[in-house]
Each structure stands twice: as structure tokens, then as C-alpha cells.
Amino acid sequence: MTDKVTLALPSKGAIAEPTYNFLKDCSLKIHKPNERQYVGRIPKIAEVEVLFQRVKDVLYKVSDGTAQLGITGYDVVKENFHQDLLVIHPQLGYGHCQLVVAVPEMWADVTSMADVLDVSLDFREQKYRNIRVATTYPNMTREFLHQNGIHHFTIVKADGAIEAAPTIGYADFVVDLTQTGTTLRENHLKIIGDGIIVDSQACLIGNKRLIASSKTAQNVLRTILEHMDAAIVGRKYMQVTVNICGNSAEDIGNKLDSHDLTRGLEGPTIAPIYSAPSGSSEKWYTATLTLQSNTMMDVVDYLRTIGGTQIVATPVHSVFMPESETYKRVLDALR
């Protein structure tokens, strides 16, 4: 058994650059000697070899065992799922998009999948043919249409500008991937309200069989997940340092602990300040807390009410919890 673990990453496309940036933010910077090369490495993890592939090929390489690990879009995984695949981390927090049903704007009365069903029946009765849908996701499209009672349809596999299919005339509506819906609207298509097939973003996948049989792969995966989980958790927090006037460290601690906003992770660290203003009898302390970033203005307002001043908020890069919950789930799945 080789001591190397191959991580397949997208070489081009919408999530390629964000993937490299995400790994860099996780302290797992990719080293790629040459833009034309298909291999690279992660200097922090000597056992890892990086293989650059197209987004769909990342999934194929992991499925066939060429790579033990890979990062690709969740939409690709759902469309081409393989029994050896394990979705290790389904939500890496970037590359957000949706696979949607979009119909021509001229279908003014068509706003739901029930309406699409009615249109499909009209095509059978009046035009004597199946309704045609253009997509590069035939498996998910077929399953979704059947779930909505639409059984008389023909899937037109298409590459490239699928949005133009209804205008050109080789399809009646489309199932396509979109981030903002702008391209669909520019091609006079509208998204059906209940026609969202899957919410997708970048995800980490692995080959179950290869990971289960290799201690090296498990150790590498644990290291990667520890860094990923720590960076993802870190996004939610800010480290706050505040100078507060009070009777004692205990007094300051009680004030901070009395409010949900300022309890933070395991409570504050409080230290006396020895450079109080000359001639002042007041006691000053510095408190350091790790608090949720989405409540920062409420935190600042509360700190001011208890005598806080000179409040410094610093983004948190990583928060390593007692263990990686994602790796724990992986071990449970392998067992």
C-alpha cells in the first residue's frame, strides 16, 4: 500500500480558484509548480499529492480509485453517484448554485410544477408529442419530473448554452445550474418556484473502500478535516479585546457572564491594566473574549453600557474544537 494520498481538485471552472483560496484559508496552501502541470502538492501534508482535473473528472477519479479524496460540486455528486463514493463534507461554504427548472417567460400562467404537468399533458393531447427538456443532468431531471407526476417527456442532452434551447427550438424548457438566475432571465426564461431540484456548493468526497483500508489515508483525512472544520467554525467568530473599569476581575467577569452575547467560548480572560491614568483610583482591566461575529454591534453596545472602551475586534482564522465532528462522522460511516 502506497504512503501517498491523492487529492483531486478542479483545474478549471467556477469553483477552481475558490477551492485554492479555501484551502489556503484552511492553512492548506496548494503548491503548483507550473500552470500547465496536472500535479501539485500541499507542503503542510507531505503524504498528499494533488491531481488537477475537470470538475466532473474529479468525481470519476475518486470513484475509480485513482484518487482517495476530491473536491467537486455537490450537483456533480448527486447526478453521478457511485457506490464507493462517500460525501465527507457536503458544505464547504462556497460555489453556491441551484439546479432549477426554467420555462419560457411567454408561459405566463406556468408558475409551479403542477402547471408544468398540465403543459406536458397539453403537448400530448394537442401536439401529439412529449414535452422536451434540455439538460446536462438527465438523472436528477428524470427523477424530479417523475416525482412531480410528469411522465411524458423527452430529455435532450445538451452541452454549452442550454438556456438558448427553447429559443432555438430544440427543447421546450430547461433544467440548468444557476447562481443568480441572470443568464436565464437574459434568455427569457423564468425559474419555477417549486422547481429547485438541488441546492449545491463545493463538497469534499472520498473513496470509502480506499479510506477504510489505509491508515495513511485516514490520518491525512483527519488532518485535512481538522483544518477545514477549524476554518469554517472560525468564520463565525471574532476575538474581542475590551478595556473595562470595575471593582475587581470577578466583578467584570460577572458582568460579562450575565449576558448571552458576551459569554463567548468558555468565557473571558481578564487581566489588570497597570497603566491607569495618573492619580486615578479606578481599577482597569482588559477582557478578551471569542464571540459570534454576527452579533458584533449588539456586543459593542452592551460592552459600552458596562464601562467598556477601546474595543478591538479581530477576525478569527481558525477555531479547533475538542475534536473534528466531520472526521468523527466519517469514522462512523466507515464502520
Coordinates of all heavy atoms in Angstrom, one line a residue, residues 91-174:
Q91 N -20.8 20.6 2.6 CA -21.0 22.1 2.6 C -19.7 22.8 3.0 O -19.5 23.1 4.2 CB -22.1 22.5 3.5 CG -23.5 21.9 3.1 CD -24.6 22.3 4.1 OE1 -24.3 22.5 5.3 NE2 -25.8 22.4 3.6
L92 N -18.9 23.1 2.0 CA -17.6 23.8 2.3 C -17.8 25.3 2.3 O -16.8 26.0 2.6 CB -16.5 23.4 1.3 CG -16.1 21.9 1.3 CD1 -15.1 21.6 0.2 CD2 -15.6 21.5 2.7
G93 N -19.0 25.8 1.9 CA -19.3 27.2 2.1 C -19.0 28.1 0.9 O -19.0 29.3 1.1
Y94 N -18.7 27.5 -0.3 CA -18.5 28.3 -1.4 C -19.0 27.6 -2.7 O -19.3 26.4 -2.6 CB -17.0 28.7 -1.6 CG -16.1 27.5 -1.9 CD1 -15.8 27.1 -3.2 CD2 -15.6 26.8 -0.8 CE1 -15.0 26.1 -3.4 CE2 -14.8 25.7 -1.0 CZ -14.5 25.4 -2.3 OH -13.6 24.3 -2.5
G95 N -19.1 28.3 -3.8 CA -19.6 27.6 -5.0 C -21.1 27.4 -5.0 O -21.6 26.4 -5.6
H96 N -21.8 28.2 -4.3 CA -23.2 28.0 -4.2 C -24.0 28.2 -5.5 O -23.7 29.1 -6.3 CB -23.8 29.1 -3.2 CG -23.3 28.9 -1.8 ND1 -23.9 28.0 -0.9 CD2 -22.3 29.5 -1.2 CE1 -23.2 28.1 0.2 NE2 -22.2 29.0 0.1
C97 N -24.9 27.3 -5.8 CA -25.7 27.3 -7.0 C -26.9 26.4 -6.8 O -26.9 25.6 -5.9 CB -24.9 27.0 -8.3 SG -24.1 25.4 -8.2
Q98 N -27.8 26.5 -7.8 CA -29.0 25.6 -7.7 C -29.3 25.0 -9.1 O -29.1 25.6 -10.1 CB -30.2 26.4 -7.3 CG -30.2 26.9 -5.8 CD -31.4 27.8 -5.5 OE1 -31.9 28.6 -6.3 NE2 -31.9 27.6 -4.3
L99 N -29.7 23.8 -9.1 CA -30.2 23.1 -10.3 C -31.7 23.4 -10.3 O -32.5 23.0 -9.4 CB -29.9 21.6 -10.3 CG -30.3 20.9 -11.6 CD1 -29.4 21.4 -12.7 CD2 -30.1 19.4 -11.4
V100 N -32.2 24.1 -11.4 CA -33.6 24.5 -11.4 C -34.3 24.2 -12.7 O -33.7 24.0 -13.7 CB -33.7 26.1 -11.2 CG1 -33.0 26.5 -9.8 CG2 -33.0 26.8 -12.3
V101 N -35.6 24.2 -12.6 CA -36.5 24.1 -13.8 C -36.8 25.5 -14.2 O -37.3 26.3 -13.4 CB -37.8 23.3 -13.4 CG1 -38.7 23.3 -14.7 CG2 -37.5 21.9 -13.0
A102 N -36.5 25.8 -15.5 CA -36.8 27.1 -16.0 C -37.6 27.0 -17.3 O -37.2 26.2 -18.2 CB -35.5 27.9 -16.3
V103 N -38.7 27.8 -17.4 CA -39.6 27.7 -18.6 C -39.6 29.0 -19.3 O -39.2 30.1 -18.7 CB -41.0 27.3 -18.2 CG1 -41.0 25.9 -17.5 CG2 -41.6 28.3 -17.3
P104 N -40.0 29.1 -20.6 CA -40.1 30.4 -21.3 C -41.0 31.4 -20.6 O -42.1 31.0 -20.0 CB -40.7 30.0 -22.6 CG -40.3 28.6 -22.8 CD -40.4 28.0 -21.4
E105 N -40.6 32.6 -20.6 CA -41.4 33.7 -19.9 C -42.8 33.8 -20.6 O -43.8 34.2 -19.9 CB -40.7 35.0 -20.0 CG -39.5 35.1 -19.2 CD -38.7 36.5 -19.4 OE1 -39.1 37.2 -20.4 OE2 -37.8 36.8 -18.6
M106 N -42.9 33.4 -21.8 CA -44.2 33.5 -22.5 C -45.2 32.5 -22.0 O -46.4 32.7 -22.2 CB -44.0 33.3 -24.0 CG -43.6 31.9 -24.4 SD -43.5 31.7 -26.2 CE -42.2 32.8 -26.6
W107 N -44.8 31.5 -21.2 CA -45.7 30.7 -20.5 C -46.2 31.4 -19.2 O -45.9 31.0 -18.1 CB -45.0 29.3 -20.1 CG -44.6 28.5 -21.3 CD1 -44.7 28.8 -22.6 CD2 -44.1 27.1 -21.2 NE1 -44.2 27.8 -23.4 CE2 -43.8 26.7 -22.5 CE3 -43.8 26.3 -20.1 CZ2 -43.3 25.5 -22.8 CZ3 -43.3 25.0 -20.4 CH2 -43.1 24.6 -21.8
A108 N -47.0 32.4 -19.4 CA -47.3 33.4 -18.4 C -48.0 32.7 -17.2 O -47.8 33.1 -16.0 CB -48.2 34.5 -18.9
D109 N -48.9 31.7 -17.4 CA -49.7 31.1 -16.4 C -48.9 29.9 -15.7 O -49.5 29.3 -14.8 CB -51.0 30.6 -16.9 CG -51.9 31.7 -17.5 OD1 -51.7 32.8 -16.9 OD2 -52.7 31.5 -18.4
V110 N -47.7 29.6 -16.2 CA -47.0 28.5 -15.6 C -46.1 29.0 -14.5 O -45.0 29.6 -14.8 CB -46.2 27.8 -16.7 CG1 -45.4 26.6 -16.1 CG2 -47.1 27.3 -17.8
T111 N -46.4 28.7 -13.3 CA -45.6 29.2 -12.1 C -45.3 28.1 -11.1 O -44.5 28.3 -10.2 CB -46.4 30.3 -11.3 OG1 -47.7 29.7 -10.9 CG2 -46.7 31.5 -12.2
S112 N -45.8 26.8 -11.4 CA -45.5 25.7 -10.5 C -45.3 24.5 -11.3 O -45.6 24.4 -12.5 CB -46.6 25.5 -9.5 OG -47.8 25.1 -10.2
M113 N -44.8 23.4 -10.6 CA -44.5 22.1 -11.3 C -45.9 21.5 -11.7 O -46.0 20.8 -12.6 CB -43.7 21.2 -10.4 CG -42.3 21.6 -10.2 SD -41.4 21.9 -11.7 CE -41.5 20.3 -12.5
A114 N -46.9 21.8 -10.9 CA -48.3 21.3 -11.3 C -48.7 21.9 -12.7 O -49.3 21.3 -13.5 CB -49.3 21.7 -10.2
D115 N -48.3 23.2 -12.9 CA -48.6 23.8 -14.2 C -47.7 23.2 -15.3 O -48.2 23.0 -16.4 CB -48.3 25.3 -14.1 CG -49.2 26.1 -13.1 OD1 -50.3 25.6 -12.9 OD2 -48.7 27.1 -12.5
V116 N -46.5 22.9 -15.0 CA -45.7 22.2 -16.0 C -46.3 20.8 -16.3 O -46.2 20.4 -17.5 CB -44.2 22.0 -15.4 CG1 -43.4 21.2 -16.5 CG2 -43.6 23.4 -15.1
L117 N -46.8 20.1 -15.4 CA -47.5 18.9 -15.6 C -48.7 19.1 -16.6 O -48.8 18.3 -17.6 CB -48.0 18.3 -14.3 CG -49.0 17.1 -14.4 CD1 -48.4 15.9 -15.2 CD2 -49.5 16.7 -13.1
D118 N -49.5 20.2 -16.4 CA -50.6 20.4 -17.3 C -50.1 20.7 -18.7 O -50.7 20.3 -19.7 CB -51.4 21.7 -16.7 CG -52.1 21.3 -15.5 OD1 -52.4 20.2 -15.2 OD2 -52.5 22.3 -14.7
V119 N -49.0 21.5 -18.8 CA -48.4 21.8 -20.1 C -48.0 20.5 -20.8 O -48.2 20.3 -22.0 CB -47.3 22.8 -20.0 CG1 -46.6 23.0 -21.4 CG2 -47.8 24.1 -19.5
S120 N -47.4 19.6 -20.1 CA -46.9 18.3 -20.7 C -48.1 17.5 -21.2 O -48.0 16.9 -22.2 CB -46.1 17.5 -19.6 OG -46.9 17.0 -18.6
L121 N -49.2 17.5 -20.5 CA -50.4 16.8 -21.0 C -51.0 17.5 -22.2 O -51.4 16.8 -23.1 CB -51.4 16.8 -19.8 CG -51.0 15.9 -18.6 CD1 -52.1 16.0 -17.5 CD2 -50.7 14.5 -19.0
D122 N -50.9 18.8 -22.2 CA -51.4 19.6 -23.4 C -50.6 19.2 -24.6 O -51.1 19.1 -25.8 CB -51.3 21.1 -23.2 CG -52.4 21.5 -22.2 OD1 -53.4 20.8 -21.9 OD2 -52.2 22.7 -21.6
F123 N -49.2 19.1 -24.4 CA -48.4 18.7 -25.6 C -48.8 17.3 -26.1 O -48.8 17.1 -27.3 CB -46.9 18.7 -25.1 CG -46.2 20.0 -25.3 CD1 -46.4 21.0 -24.5 CD2 -45.3 20.1 -26.3 CE1 -45.7 22.2 -24.6 CE2 -44.6 21.3 -26.5 CZ -44.8 22.4 -25.7
R124 N -49.1 16.4 -25.3 CA -49.5 15.1 -25.7 C -50.9 15.1 -26.4 O -51.0 14.5 -27.5 CB -49.7 14.1 -24.5 CG -48.4 13.8 -23.8 CD -47.6 12.7 -24.5 NE -48.3 11.4 -24.4 CZ -47.8 10.3 -24.9 NH1 -46.6 10.3 -25.5 NH2 -48.4 9.2 -24.8
E125 N -51.8 15.9 -25.9 CA -53.1 15.9 -26.5 C -53.2 16.8 -27.7 O -54.0 16.4 -28.7 CB -54.1 16.4 -25.4 CG -54.3 15.4 -24.2 CD -55.1 16.0 -23.2 OE1 -55.7 17.2 -23.4 OE2 -55.3 15.4 -22.1
Q126 N -52.5 17.9 -27.8 CA -52.7 18.8 -28.9 C -51.6 18.8 -29.9 O -51.8 19.0 -31.1 CB -52.8 20.2 -28.3 CG -53.9 20.4 -27.3 CD -54.0 21.8 -26.7 OE1 -53.3 22.7 -27.1 NE2 -54.7 21.9 -25.6
K127 N -50.3 18.5 -29.5 CA -49.2 18.4 -30.4 C -48.7 17.0 -30.7 O -47.8 16.8 -31.5 CB -48.0 19.3 -29.9 CG -48.4 20.7 -29.7 CD -47.1 21.5 -29.3 CE -47.5 23.0 -29.2 NZ -46.3 23.9 -28.9
Y128 N -49.3 16.0 -30.0 CA -49.1 14.6 -30.2 C -47.6 14.3 -30.0 O -47.0 13.5 -30.8 CB -49.5 14.2 -31.6 CG -50.9 14.5 -31.9 CD1 -51.3 15.6 -32.7 CD2 -52.0 13.8 -31.3 CE1 -52.6 15.9 -33.0 CE2 -53.3 14.2 -31.5 CZ -53.6 15.2 -32.3 OH -54.9 15.6 -32.6
R129 N -47.0 14.9 -29.1 CA -45.6 14.6 -28.8 C -45.3 14.9 -27.3 O -46.0 15.5 -26.6 CB -44.6 15.4 -29.6 CG -44.6 16.9 -29.4 CD -43.4 17.5 -30.1 NE -43.4 19.0 -30.0 CZ -42.8 19.6 -29.0 NH1 -42.2 18.9 -28.0 NH2 -42.8 21.0 -29.0
N130 N -44.1 14.3 -26.8 CA -43.7 14.6 -25.5 C -43.1 16.0 -25.4 O -42.6 16.5 -26.3 CB -42.6 13.6 -25.0 CG -43.2 12.2 -24.8 OD1 -44.4 12.0 -24.6 ND2 -42.3 11.2 -24.7
I131 N -43.3 16.6 -24.2 CA -42.6 17.8 -23.9 C -41.1 17.6 -23.8 O -40.7 16.5 -23.3 CB -43.1 18.5 -22.6 CG1 -42.7 20.0 -22.6 CG2 -42.7 17.7 -21.4 CD1 -43.4 20.7 -21.4
R132 N -40.3 18.5 -24.3 CA -38.8 18.3 -24.4 C -38.1 19.2 -23.4 O -38.4 20.4 -23.3 CB -38.3 18.5 -25.8 CG -38.9 17.7 -26.9 CD -38.6 18.2 -28.3 NE -39.1 19.6 -28.4 CZ -38.9 20.4 -29.4 NH1 -38.2 20.0 -30.4 NH2 -39.4 21.6 -29.5
V133 N -37.1 18.6 -22.7 CA -36.4 19.3 -21.7 C -34.9 19.2 -22.0 O -34.4 18.1 -22.1 CB -36.7 18.9 -20.2 CG1 -36.6 17.4 -20.1 CG2 -35.8 19.6 -19.2
A134 N -34.2 20.3 -22.1 CA -32.7 20.3 -22.3 C -32.0 20.4 -21.0 O -32.3 21.2 -20.1 CB -32.3 21.5 -23.2
T135 N -31.0 19.5 -20.8 CA -30.2 19.5 -19.6 C -29.0 18.7 -19.7 O -28.8 17.8 -20.6 CB -31.1 18.9 -18.4 OG1 -30.4 19.0 -17.2 CG2 -31.4 17.4 -18.7
T136 N -28.0 19.0 -18.8 CA -26.8 18.1 -18.7 C -26.9 17.3 -17.4 O -25.9 16.6 -17.0 CB -25.5 19.0 -18.7 OG1 -25.6 19.9 -17.6 CG2 -25.3 19.7 -20.0
Y137 N -28.1 17.3 -16.8 CA -28.3 16.5 -15.6 C -29.5 15.6 -15.8 O -30.6 15.7 -15.2 CB -28.6 17.4 -14.4 CG -27.4 18.3 -14.0 CD1 -27.1 19.5 -14.7 CD2 -26.5 17.9 -13.0 CE1 -26.0 20.3 -14.3 CE2 -25.4 18.6 -12.7 CZ -25.2 19.8 -13.3 OH -24.1 20.6 -13.0
P138 N -29.4 14.6 -16.7 CA -30.5 13.8 -17.0 C -31.1 12.9 -15.9 O -32.3 12.7 -15.8 CB -30.0 12.9 -18.2 CG -28.5 12.9 -18.0 CD -28.2 14.2 -17.5
N139 N -30.2 12.4 -15.0 CA -30.6 11.5 -14.0 C -31.5 12.3 -12.9 O -32.6 11.8 -12.6 CB -29.4 10.9 -13.3 CG -28.6 10.0 -14.2 OD1 -29.2 9.4 -15.1 ND2 -27.3 9.9 -14.0
M140 N -31.0 13.4 -12.4 CA -31.8 14.2 -11.5 C -33.0 14.7 -12.1 O -34.1 14.8 -11.5 CB -30.9 15.3 -10.8 CG -30.0 14.8 -9.7 SD -29.3 16.2 -8.8 CE -28.1 16.8 -9.9
T141 N -32.9 15.1 -13.4 CA -34.1 15.7 -14.1 C -35.2 14.6 -14.2 O -36.4 14.9 -13.9 CB -33.7 16.2 -15.5 OG1 -32.7 17.3 -15.3 CG2 -34.9 16.7 -16.2
R142 N -34.8 13.5 -14.6 CA -35.8 12.4 -14.8 C -36.5 12.0 -13.5 O -37.7 11.9 -13.4 CB -35.1 11.1 -15.3 CG -36.0 10.0 -15.7 CD -35.2 8.8 -16.3 NE -34.5 9.2 -17.6 CZ -33.2 9.4 -17.7 NH1 -32.4 9.2 -16.7 NH2 -32.7 9.7 -18.9
E143 N -35.7 11.9 -12.4 CA -36.2 11.6 -11.1 C -37.2 12.7 -10.6 O -38.3 12.4 -10.1 CB -35.1 11.4 -10.1 CG -35.6 11.0 -8.7 CD -34.4 10.8 -7.7 OE1 -33.3 11.0 -8.2 OE2 -34.7 10.5 -6.6
F144 N -36.8 14.0 -10.8 CA -37.6 15.1 -10.3 C -38.9 15.2 -11.0 O -40.0 15.4 -10.4 CB -36.8 16.4 -10.4 CG -37.5 17.6 -9.8 CD1 -37.5 17.7 -8.4 CD2 -38.1 18.5 -10.6 CE1 -38.1 18.8 -7.8 CE2 -38.7 19.6 -10.0 CZ -38.7 19.8 -8.7
L145 N -38.9 15.0 -12.3 CA -40.1 15.1 -13.1 C -41.1 14.0 -12.8 O -42.3 14.2 -12.6 CB -39.8 15.1 -14.6 CG -39.0 16.3 -15.2 CD1 -38.7 16.2 -16.6 CD2 -39.8 17.6 -14.9
H146 N -40.5 12.8 -12.6 CA -41.4 11.7 -12.2 C -42.0 11.9 -10.8 O -43.2 11.6 -10.6 CB -40.6 10.4 -12.2 CG -40.4 9.8 -13.6 ND1 -41.3 9.7 -14.5 CD2 -39.2 9.3 -14.1 CE1 -40.8 9.1 -15.6 NE2 -39.6 8.9 -15.4
Q147 N -41.2 12.5 -9.9 CA -41.8 12.8 -8.6 C -42.9 13.8 -8.6 O -43.8 13.8 -7.8 CB -40.6 13.4 -7.7 CG -39.6 12.3 -7.2 CD -38.4 13.0 -6.5 OE1 -38.3 14.2 -6.4 NE2 -37.6 12.1 -5.9
N148 N -42.9 14.6 -9.7 CA -44.0 15.6 -9.8 C -45.0 15.2 -10.8 O -45.8 16.0 -11.3 CB -43.3 17.0 -10.3 CG -42.7 17.7 -9.1 OD1 -43.3 18.5 -8.4 ND2 -41.4 17.5 -9.0
G149 N -45.1 13.9 -11.1 CA -46.2 13.4 -11.9 C -46.0 13.6 -13.4 O -47.0 13.3 -14.2
I150 N -44.8 14.1 -13.8 CA -44.6 14.3 -15.2 C -43.9 13.1 -15.8 O -42.7 12.9 -15.5 CB -43.8 15.6 -15.4 CG1 -44.5 16.8 -14.8 CG2 -43.5 15.9 -16.9 CD1 -43.6 18.1 -14.7
H151 N -44.6 12.3 -16.6 CA -44.0 11.1 -17.2 C -43.9 11.1 -18.7 O -43.1 10.3 -19.2 CB -45.0 9.9 -16.8 CG -45.2 9.8 -15.3 ND1 -44.2 9.6 -14.4 CD2 -46.3 9.9 -14.6 CE1 -44.7 9.6 -13.2 NE2 -46.0 9.8 -13.2
H152 N -44.5 12.0 -19.3 CA -44.4 12.1 -20.8 C -43.5 13.2 -21.2 O -43.9 14.4 -21.4 CB -45.8 12.3 -21.4 CG -46.8 11.2 -21.1 ND1 -46.6 9.9 -21.5 CD2 -48.0 11.3 -20.4 CE1 -47.7 9.2 -21.0 NE2 -48.5 10.0 -20.3
F153 N -42.2 12.9 -21.2 CA -41.2 13.9 -21.6 C -40.0 13.3 -22.3 O -39.8 12.0 -22.1 CB -40.7 14.7 -20.3 CG -40.1 13.8 -19.3 CD1 -38.7 13.5 -19.4 CD2 -40.8 13.2 -18.3 CE1 -38.1 12.7 -18.4 CE2 -40.2 12.4 -17.3 CZ -38.8 12.1 -17.4
T154 N -39.3 14.1 -23.0 CA -38.1 13.6 -23.7 C -36.9 14.5 -23.2 O -37.0 15.7 -23.3 CB -38.2 13.7 -25.2 OG1 -39.3 12.9 -25.6 CG2 -36.9 13.2 -25.9
I155 N -35.9 13.8 -22.7 CA -34.7 14.6 -22.3 C -33.8 14.8 -23.5 O -33.4 13.8 -24.2 CB -33.9 13.8 -21.2 CG1 -34.8 13.9 -19.9 CG2 -32.6 14.5 -20.9 CD1 -34.2 13.2 -18.7
V156 N -33.4 16.0 -23.7 CA -32.5 16.4 -24.8 C -31.2 16.7 -24.1 O -31.0 17.8 -23.5 CB -33.0 17.6 -25.6 CG1 -32.0 18.0 -26.7 CG2 -34.4 17.3 -26.2
K157 N -30.2 15.8 -24.3 CA -28.9 16.1 -23.7 C -28.2 17.2 -24.4 O -28.1 17.2 -25.7 CB -28.0 14.9 -23.6 CG -28.5 13.8 -22.6 CD -27.4 12.9 -22.2 CE -26.2 13.6 -21.5 NZ -25.2 12.6 -21.0
A158 N -27.7 18.2 -23.7 CA -27.1 19.3 -24.4 C -25.9 19.8 -23.6 O -25.9 19.7 -22.4 CB -28.2 20.5 -24.5
D159 N -24.9 20.3 -24.3 CA -23.8 21.0 -23.8 C -23.7 22.4 -24.3 O -24.2 22.7 -25.3 CB -22.5 20.2 -24.2 CG -22.4 18.8 -23.5 OD1 -22.7 18.8 -22.3 OD2 -22.1 17.9 -24.2
G160 N -23.1 23.2 -23.5 CA -23.0 24.6 -23.9 C -24.1 25.5 -23.4 O -24.6 25.3 -22.3
A161 N -24.6 26.3 -24.3 CA -25.6 27.3 -23.9 C -27.0 26.7 -23.9 O -27.8 26.8 -24.8 CB -25.6 28.5 -24.9
I162 N -27.3 26.0 -22.8 CA -28.6 25.3 -22.7 C -29.7 26.3 -22.6 O -30.8 26.0 -23.1 CB -28.6 24.4 -21.4 CG1 -27.5 23.3 -21.5 CG2 -30.0 23.8 -21.2 CD1 -27.4 22.5 -20.3
E163 N -29.5 27.5 -22.1 CA -30.5 28.5 -21.9 C -31.1 28.9 -23.2 O -32.3 29.3 -23.3 CB -29.9 29.7 -21.2 CG -29.3 29.5 -19.9 CD -27.8 29.1 -20.0 OE1 -27.3 29.0 -21.1 OE2 -27.2 29.0 -19.0
A164 N -30.4 28.7 -24.4 CA -30.9 29.1 -25.7 C -31.8 28.1 -26.3 O -32.4 28.3 -27.3 CB -29.8 29.5 -26.6
A165 N -31.9 26.9 -25.7 CA -32.6 25.7 -26.3 C -34.0 26.1 -26.7 O -34.5 25.8 -27.8 CB -32.5 24.5 -25.4
P166 N -34.8 26.6 -25.8 CA -36.2 27.0 -26.2 C -36.3 28.0 -27.3 O -37.2 27.9 -28.1 CB -36.8 27.5 -24.9 CG -36.0 26.9 -23.8 CD -34.6 26.9 -24.3
T167 N -35.4 29.0 -27.3 CA -35.4 30.0 -28.4 C -35.1 29.4 -29.7 O -35.7 29.7 -30.7 CB -34.5 31.1 -28.0 OG1 -34.8 31.7 -26.8 CG2 -34.5 32.2 -29.1
I168 N -34.1 28.5 -29.7 CA -33.6 27.9 -31.0 C -34.7 26.9 -31.4 O -34.9 26.7 -32.6 CB -32.3 27.2 -30.8 CG1 -31.2 28.2 -30.4 CG2 -31.9 26.3 -32.0 CD1 -29.9 27.6 -30.0
G169 N -35.3 26.2 -30.5 CA -36.5 25.3 -30.8 C -36.2 23.9 -30.6 O -37.1 23.0 -31.0
Y170 N -35.0 23.5 -30.1 CA -34.8 22.0 -29.9 C -35.2 21.5 -28.5 O -35.1 20.3 -28.2 CB -33.4 21.7 -30.3 CG -32.3 22.1 -29.3 CD1 -32.0 21.4 -28.2 CD2 -31.6 23.3 -29.5 CE1 -31.0 21.8 -27.3 CE2 -30.6 23.7 -28.7 CZ -30.3 22.9 -27.6 OH -29.3 23.3 -26.7
A171 N -35.8 22.4 -27.7 CA -36.3 22.0 -26.4 C -37.4 23.0 -26.0 O -37.5 24.1 -26.5 CB -35.3 21.9 -25.3
D172 N -38.3 22.5 -25.1 CA -39.4 23.4 -24.7 C -39.1 24.1 -23.4 O -39.6 25.3 -23.2 CB -40.7 22.6 -24.5 CG -41.1 21.8 -25.8 OD1 -41.3 22.5 -26.8 OD2 -41.1 20.6 -25.8
F173 N -38.4 23.5 -22.5 CA -37.9 24.2 -21.3 C -36.6 23.5 -20.9 O -36.1 22.6 -21.6 CB -38.9 24.1 -20.2 CG -39.1 22.7 -19.6 CD1 -38.6 22.4 -18.4 CD2 -40.0 21.8 -20.2 CE1 -38.8 21.1 -17.8 CE2 -40.2 20.6 -19.7 CZ -39.6 20.2 -18.5
V174 N -35.9 24.1 -19.8 CA -34.6 23.6 -19.5 C -34.5 23.3 -18.0 O -35.3 23.8 -17.2 CB -33.5 24.6 -19.8 CG1 -33.6 25.0 -21.3 CG2 -33.6 25.9 -18.9

